[in-house]
Amino acid sequence: MFKKTKIAAATVALLSIAAVQNASAVAVDESGNHAQVLIFPYYNTNNGFISAYNIRNTSDDYKAVKVRFRESKLSNDVLDFNVYMSPKDHFSISVGVNAEGKAFLNTADKTCTYPAIPAAGVAFKGDVYTATKDVDAREGYLEVIEMGVVDKNATVGVAPNAKKITEDGILHVAGVPKDCSLVAKAWNDGVFTEGGANAVVNGVNHEPVVPGAILRPTGGLQGWSFLLDYDKGNANVAMPAAIRNYQTAHGQHYLSSNPDTFLLPSLASGNRAESTVMDNGGTSSITTTWLPAPDFVLTTLGQAEVALANGGAGPKASGVNPFPIAHVLAATGLTNDYLVTTTGDSAGTDWVITFPMRKHGINAIAGGTSIPMGSGTVFYGREEEAVSVSTDGFSPVSSTPATTLTREVNILSFAKTGNTTPTNVLRSEYVKPYGVDYASGWGTIVYGGTPASDGAHSIGGVPTIGFAAIRGNYKAGAENVIGESIPHTFLRNRTPAGGV
């Protein structure tokens, strides 16, 4: 029975912005009020887990929003759709697993979506990729991108019976949109048209193509998620990374059903080439203007997978501007706490480490196959005990050292050295056991690898998001489980010489 569970509302701490930033450059939304992009670090449906997501439109505008689930192995798009939110709207969805073992999205929310989400829900489509298994698609991460503001004056139908898409369709009355069919009609009648992404589609640059009836994004997205383990009665909150100034010129608006453009908009298709971060000393800001990149996905395998799933040869358009978002999320390592037990599974810790820009070719390793954990990786006990040292150069000692992070979403599950079974708090099918010498403490993982570069500037480290999921029992019995989530603190390497 699920009771006495404490869900810790953790705030994401990707950057501390102390100086005035370039007002139009891509940046982490430290205020939490201006985000155009939310990147949730994890969803999980394995072994009884259910993941729930809550998205708020805090603005007075009608929003067109892309929701995209990416699987945990290669970041392949396994389900995406458009959401049309009214002012001050709140949209909630949950993800579980169906009888066939597929990740499965469901919602009781009435907010308009296109396509409409069936009352019975919709299964993820991981099986369309040869290298992606259902188990890969049962966990991953979630991108939420504001495509733009729906024009309040846009109508469908012929006068005198013309209706506004916003006030006569998307707007909620008594908790229910007036008429979601107006969204479908807007697409069918050509009022809504595709365009606006900073991407090359079949040789054509889509950035100058202004989509019909969609204005530029204005921000104001907020959200939170929780991961619920029904068996243990444990839940962990996971907050998204929030990005502002992703797109400032005009909207981007695309159908999920178009095999040439279904990957748009993406984290690499925004129009802003500038990004702003704090320098290493935390005393002043650095603004870098990045050059375009090839319109590509992660690897040759990734390109083939996308082509296979959607028909036709070659990779599909995914954007030519990956560096600004990669820059503001880049880390050379991360730090967090851990808690383990010497017997049983009454307490444990998993670290979620997600690399959301590897799909767009931003890696720390040439070829993008894995992220090595460097010799600067160290772990401590709570009372300043000696640092664990191993004979292979990696720290701490582990019976199965997790020396590389090979997936888009990586789960490190901690165990006391000598205990070969990690707690696996999140019950991932791809957990990496990691041994520590002390029952509780903190540690730092340092990445290795080669920086990504646009030819003029480089990004030191890897764009990373994530958190620590900690479970503990304060009395015997699963009904007394405590769930806590702690955002990672990230190590940065940023210099004023343009790039990082």
Side-chain angles (χ1 to χ4, degrees):
M1 182 176 180
F2 180 59
K3 63 181 181 179
K4 294 185 179 179
T5 299
K6 185 169 90 173
I7 304 177
T11 55
V12 74
L14 294 173
L15 288 173
S16 175
I17 307 297
V20 176
Q21 296 182 331
N22 184 317
S24 62
V26 173
V28 169
D29 181 37
E30 72 285 354
S31 71
N33 296 317
H34 306 290
Q36 296 178 358
V37 174
L38 304 174
I39 313 172
F40 292 87
Y42 193 50
Y43 75 83
N44 184 23
T45 66
N46 279 309
N47 301 308
F49 258 84
I50 293 176
S51 302
Y53 298 86
N54 299 274
I55 302 165
R56 298 186 293 266
N57 172 20
T58 66
S59 77
D60 293 323
D61 297 320
Y62 293 85
K63 302 281 189 184
V65 177
K66 176 69 73 176
V67 172
R68 177 179 290 113
F69 288 87
R70 292 190 177 276
E71 49 84 24
S72 61
K73 182 181 180 182
L74 292 171
S75 284
N76 278 318
D77 179 346
V78 289
L79 189 73
D80 76 65
F81 54 93
N82 296 351
V83 182
Y84 297 87
M85 305 182 74
S86 60
K88 311 302 183 185
D89 195 5
H90 184 284
F91 181 64
S92 298
I93 51 179
S94 63
V95 184
V97 66
N98 64 14
E100 288 73 42
K102 296 180 182 295
F104 189 80
L105 180 138
N106 207 347
T107 183
D109 201 294
K110 304 302 182 183
T111 293
C112 297
T113 68
Y114 192 76
I117 298 173
V122 58
F124 284 17
K125 301 179 181 299
D127 55 359
V128 300
Y129 306 99
T130 56
T132 299
K133 309 301 182 186
D134 283 337
V135 67
D136 298 313
R138 288 200 293 266
E139 56 186 289
Y141 64 99
L142 172 62
E143 299 170 351
V144 176
I145 302 173
E146 181 186 353
M147 294 186 285
V149 171
V150 182
D151 188 345
K152 288 183 179 180
N153 297 315
T155 61
V156 294
V158 180
N161 298 315
K163 294 183 177 181
K164 290 186 176 181
I165 302 168
T166 54
E167 295 175 10
D168 298 319
I170 301 171
L171 181 64
H172 287 60
V173 176
V176 179
K178 283 188 175 181
D179 187 358
C180 286
S181 70
L182 297 189
V183 172
K185 187 170 179 57
W187 280 111
N188 294 334
D189 291 358
V191 178
F192 282 159
T193 58
E194 293 191 309
N198 198 353
V200 178
V201 182
N202 295 326
V204 177
N205 180 6
H206 266 219
E207 202 276 331
V209 181
V210 178
I214 295 291
L215 310 177
R216 69 174 183 85
T218 57
L221 294 183
Q222 296 177 349
W224 65 284
S225 68
F226 69 90
L227 310 164
L228 174 62
D229 182 348
Y230 263 110
D231 290 344
K232 294 291 185 182
N234 178 57
N236 290 92
V237 167
M239 302 299 287
I243 308 293
R244 61 185 175 90
N245 295 330
Y246 155 82
Q247 178 81 5
T248 58
H250 48 67
Q252 303 183 58
H253 201 198
Y254 290 91
L255 290 164
S256 300
S257 58
N258 188 330
D260 291 321
T261 59
F262 81 103
L263 289 175
L264 301 174
S266 75
L267 301 182
S269 69
N271 76 302
R272 299 308 309 179
E274 306 86 7
S275 59
T276 295
V277 298
M278 295 304 298
D279 66 7
N280 289 340
T283 58
S284 61
S285 60
I286 304 169
T287 297
T288 303
T289 301
W290 299 89
L291 301 176
D295 200 330
F296 59 4
V297 287
L298 173 60
T299 61
T300 301
L301 174 61
Q303 293 174 354
E305 288 287 280
V306 171
L308 169 72
N310 296 281
K316 303 301 179 180
S318 62
V320 298
N321 190 32
F323 291 102
I325 286 184
H327 185 207
V328 302
L329 296 179
T332 56
L334 60 90
T335 296
N336 215 322
D337 280 18
Y338 67 87
L339 169 68
V340 298
T341 184
T342 55
T343 59
D345 65 351
S346 61
T349 303
D350 287 359
W351 285 8
V352 176
I353 305 173
T354 300
F355 301 128
M357 295 303 294
R358 288 183 68 200
K359 191 64 175 178
H360 299 291
I362 307 299
N363 324 293
I365 288 295
T369 56
S370 64
I371 308 297
M373 290 163 57
S375 59
T377 297
V378 294
F379 278 77
Y380 300 87
R382 292 182 62 186
E383 306 301 333
E384 304 177 36
E385 291 98 337
V387 176
S388 301
V389 178
S390 69
T391 58
D392 62 1
F394 290 92
S395 175
V397 175
S398 173
S399 56
T400 52
T403 55
T404 59
L405 304 173
T406 59
R407 301 176 68 83
E408 308 300 279
V409 178
N410 302 273
I411 310 296
L412 296 189
S413 190
F414 292 88
K416 190 77 160 52
T417 302
N419 181 0
T420 59
T421 303
T423 307
N424 198 0
V425 172
L426 297 171
R427 305 178 74 182
S428 168
E429 291 294 324
Y430 290 105
V431 66
K432 283 182 174 289
Y434 206 77
V436 286
D437 290 344
Y438 313 108
S440 62
W442 65 278
T444 297
I445 288 176
V446 176
Y447 307 144
T450 304
S453 174
D454 68 353
H457 318 95
S458 61
I459 293 177
V462 192
T464 314
I465 58 177
F467 62 98
I470 298 178
R471 185 181 77 215
N473 287 20
Y474 63 90
K475 289 184 180 179
E479 72 274 13
N480 294 299
V481 172
I482 301 173
E484 295 286 355
S485 299
I486 307 173
H488 295 320
T489 299
F490 293 101
L491 308 179
R492 313 288 185 183
N493 180 21
R494 290 159 169 162
T495 62
V500 244

